[in-house]
Amino acid sequence: MSQKKCPHCGEWSVWTNNYEDRCEHCGEFLSPVELERKEKFILEQDRQEKDWMFYINPEDSGAKKFFKKSGNLFYTVFMAIMTFIMWLIAALPG
């Protein structure tokens, strides 16, 4: 088990290398920077997912969901074929 000095009160607390650990003395987070970074990452990930052209909203109609799922399928197949072709081009000269 390790310890970390609290950035707020300056006392040492038990730290399990988890960004959600709290100080035993003042109750503040021991890693506020990492916690903020994790929250920003989650928000950015959600934003990128919703900006995707084939993102399926729960409010979408049945036909719209079908076409978005079809678009996702065709996009995945297309990218798999393109990846294979690029791998083949890179592997042939060597």
Side-chain angles (χ1 to χ4, degrees):
M1 201 168 329
S2 61
Q3 293 185 345
K4 186 172 185 175
K5 192 173 189 178
C6 177
H8 301 285
C9 68
E11 296 291 328
W12 289 92
S13 295
V14 175
W15 187 48
T16 60
N17 293 335
N18 186 356
Y19 61 88
E20 293 179 343
D21 285 347
R22 292 186 176 265
C23 177
E24 298 170 345
H25 305 283
C26 67
E28 295 291 330
F29 288 107
L30 290 174
S31 302
V33 175
E34 287 84 2
L35 186 64
E36 184 179 323
R37 188 177 299 139
K38 180 72 172 175
E39 288 173 0
K40 283 182 183 178
F41 176 76
I42 290 171
L43 289 174
E44 179 66 18
Q45 193 175 27
D46 288 343
R47 186 194 63 77
Q48 286 180 354
E49 182 180 325
K50 290 180 181 175
D51 284 348
W52 173 242
M53 66 180 141
F54 296 122
Y55 176 72
I56 300 172
N57 288 321
E59 302 90 31
D60 287 344
S61 65
K64 198 170 188 180
K65 286 181 182 180
F66 170 76
F67 285 118
K68 285 185 177 183
K69 286 181 182 180
S70 299
N72 273 329
L73 175 68
F74 287 124
Y75 178 80
T76 303
V77 169
F78 175 75
M79 291 307 291
I81 292 170
M82 292 304 295
T83 302
F84 175 73
I85 291 171
M86 289 171 35
W87 172 81
L88 194 61
I89 291 171
L92 285 178

